[in-house]
Amino acid sequence: MSHLLITGASQLLTLRGRAPRRGKALSDLGMLRDGALLIRDGLIAAVGARPEIESLPESRSAEKIDVGGRVVLPGVVDSHTHLIHAASRAEEYELKIAGASYEEIARKGGGILNSVKKLRAATADALKRRAHAALREFAAHGTTTLEAKSGYGLDVASELKILRLHKELSAEQALEIVSTFLGAHVVPAEYRRKPRGTEQYIALLTDELIPEVAAEKLAEFCDVFCDRGAFSRKDSKKILEAGKKHGLAPRVHAEQLTRTGATQLAVQLGAASCDHLEQVSKADIRALAESNTVATLLPGCDFHLGLKQYAPARALIDAGAVVALATDYNPGTSPTMSMPMILSLACTQLRMSPAEAIAAATINTAYSLRREKQIGSIETGKQADLAVFDVEDYREIPYYFGVNKCWMTLKKGRPVFQKAHT
Ligand SMILES: [Zn+2]
């Protein structure tokens, strides 16, 4: 049996108590000053005031880490990423700055289809190398669990290649990867040229790919990009219902570029999460507030695209929706692995308080991945997933931006990142 005692936290943010967090409870961090925790075999054995934890018999023989007056919080949970892709889209970044819209670029063969072309041509080894490098960056910014979507393959072999890589990557490194099938990202080019191509592609998803993904246990969730230029609300319903039938819980890309009604569809289907939400209506906000579907906001997208309309976070929180935050790490609209940067954007652009942003990126994202019993807070019996930031006050985590203040990241009680001494 191995024991690890962690002391010296100026603030220990436990996030203990009810999950998920809504309304006023979102800013409840369950903070302990000079708190400590004892880890046994990768799980949290005890957490509380330092003298109490230090006096436990197991603490005496435990290995010890003194974090030197820094802030300790649960490992960050990033509930929306497109981890596996072949290359950046820096050329489109430059076009966008010059004034081209996301949809104009897509019509010229750029956008998602550009990434699809590159992914199909890439070897599994090259994709894996790139993903490993990204995972090291995620760990270096305090993330201990992340969701990863397929969706740049869009044919049977390439989608399965991505999902199998999620599994291999999970086995080869410490961060936990939660796999989502996003065959319904857009209709691939070869189907766009055919009459009734969209219908045929949807049939490929519902009759062939979804059953195969479920049979091989390659994903827990099924996602759809429901928007102009992607899938309609009606098509999305068909795909998500097929996923549900095979045990894949729905997640939805909703109301990003246009309002399609995807949010209300997500609520009706009992989706785990509904993501983006820049264009939601008042009725959509009400529907989310009355449901257990998590409203996941992705401000990195709006920031990277230079868009002015962010999701109405305040209205969602005040109405009582379960609000969460994620990077949407992807090569086209949000090339970042930094959840601290997302917290900064949540504070300045979404007007969330630092405490709300932290809860939205830990316990609420854990809930959206249906893992709130294992991760997302520092409580007895949970995994010892921790992020330590080189600040004295938790508000300094979003306050600093564009610099990485993460000092140490632990997954199941083991350091997976430690800042080099400077
Ligand atoms: Zn996305």
Side-chain angles (χ1 to χ4, degrees):
M1 217 180 277
S2 79
H3 291 96
L4 174 64
L5 174 68
I6 296 184
T7 59
S10 63
Q11 299 175 338
L12 175 61
L13 313 181
T14 65
L15 278 297
R16 65 189 167 196
R18 251 175 101 166
R21 297 278 213 265
R22 299 174 189 261
K24 289 205 166 55
L26 187 61
S27 46
D28 175 14
L29 296 176
M31 183 166 80
L32 300 172
R33 289 181 194 277
D34 195 24
L37 70 138
L38 179 71
I39 298 165
R40 184 196 302 128
D41 292 336
L43 299 177
I44 296 164
V47 53
R50 179 182 183 140
E52 179 200 323
I53 302 300
E54 277 181 333
S55 67
L56 295 170
E58 290 171 304
S59 292
R60 248 167 283 151
S61 58
E63 196 188 319
K64 293 176 181 69
I65 296 179
D66 181 340
V67 300
R70 296 178 173 87
V71 171
V72 177
L73 62 147
V76 175
V77 180
D78 188 347
S79 60
H80 185 141
T81 87
H82 302 254
L83 176 67
I84 308 265
H85 52 265
S88 96
R89 300 213 305 259
E91 67 288 356
E92 292 178 15
Y93 181 56
E94 195 173 22
L95 290 173
K96 277 176 228 155
I97 294 163
S101 78
Y102 178 64
E103 287 167 295
E104 274 161 14
I105 290 169
R107 276 197 294 275
K108 287 178 191 153
I112 294 166
L113 291 179
N114 181 1
S115 288
V116 170
K117 208 186 294 171
K118 287 177 180 162
L119 186 137
R120 287 178 180 176
T123 64
D125 272 353
L127 292 170
K128 198 192 261 186
R129 262 198 309 279
R130 186 176 173 85
H132 268 299
L135 288 163
R136 284 192 292 274
E137 288 288 341
F138 279 106
H141 289 84
T143 296
T144 48
T145 300
L146 64 151
E147 184 255 19
K149 302 175 195 297
S150 66
Y152 292 123
L154 308 186
D155 62 34
V156 174
S158 307
E159 283 294 305
L160 294 177
K161 174 166 83 175
I162 297 170
L163 296 171
R164 287 179 187 134
L165 280 174
H166 290 166
K167 239 186 192 173
E168 287 177 32
L169 286 162
S170 288
E172 288 170 12
Q173 52 80 58
L175 300 195
E176 192 171 336
I177 298 170
V178 180
S179 183
T180 295
F181 173 60
L182 177 61
H185 203 179
V186 290
V187 176
E190 62 274 20
Y191 283 86
R192 291 181 184 212
R193 289 189 284 269
K194 295 185 202 170
R196 299 180 49 196
T198 299
E199 233 169 279
Q200 288 175 30
Y201 184 64
I202 291 169
L204 176 79
L205 295 177
T206 56
D207 302 348
E208 201 171 322
L209 258 166
I210 287 173
E212 180 64 27
V213 168
E216 277 193 57
K217 294 195 168 43
L218 291 174
E220 291 175 44
F221 296 97
C222 178
D223 197 338
V224 173
F225 184 17
C226 181
D227 214 319
R228 187 169 69 203
F231 292 87
S232 70
R233 179 181 157 141
K234 199 166 141 244
D235 292 344
S236 300
K237 184 165 186 267
K238 213 183 278 175
I239 298 159
L240 293 171
E241 279 176 343
K244 262 182 100 165
K245 206 178 89 191
H246 287 88
L248 305 176
R251 312 182 80 80
V252 187
H253 282 67
E255 335 294 6
Q256 180 188 10
L257 306 168
T258 53
R259 188 185 171 279
T260 60
T263 301
Q264 306 219 16
L265 171 67
V267 169
Q268 279 162 23
L269 294 175
S273 184
C274 196
D275 303 32
H276 281 294
L277 307 176
E278 281 84 346
Q279 315 290 337
V280 277
S281 70
K282 284 201 174 113
D284 297 337
I285 293 173
R286 261 198 312 279
L288 282 166
E290 287 162 8
S291 78
N292 293 322
T293 298
V294 177
T296 304
L297 311 183
L298 311 167
C301 269
D302 305 296
F303 174 76
H304 181 74
L305 296 174
L307 302 176
K308 302 286 178 274
Q309 193 181 345
Y310 284 79
R314 283 262 54 94
L316 284 159
I317 294 166
D318 296 343
V322 182
V323 170
L325 291 165
T327 59
D328 194 11
Y329 169 62
N330 80 80
T333 63
S334 192
T336 184
M337 303 85 165
S338 170
M339 280 297 280
M341 179 67 192
I342 298 303
L343 299 186
S344 297
L345 292 172
C347 292
T348 59
Q349 307 304 310
L350 301 178
R351 300 277 154 197
M352 291 171 70
S353 70
E356 288 173 333
I358 289 169
T362 51
I363 191 64
N364 278 7
T365 36
Y367 178 78
S368 99
L369 296 179
R370 304 199 162 162
R371 277 166 169 71
E372 76 280 6
K373 299 249 186 333
Q374 294 85 40
I375 56 173
S377 67
I378 302 176
E379 294 178 276
T380 305
K382 281 194 162 181
Q383 285 181 27
D385 293 5
L386 306 171
V388 185
F389 277 77
D390 193 9
V391 294
E392 284 173 39
D393 182 315
Y394 73 85
R395 291 172 295 193
E396 292 172 319
I397 297 171
Y399 164 85
Y400 288 104
F401 71 93
V403 287
N404 188 16
K405 302 297 272 183
C406 183
W407 184 73
M408 186 186 270
T409 308
L410 295 105
K411 181 69 184 175
K412 295 184 185 167
R414 293 223 169 113
V416 290
F417 165 76
Q418 185 160 16
K419 197 171 210 168
H421 290 290
T422 47

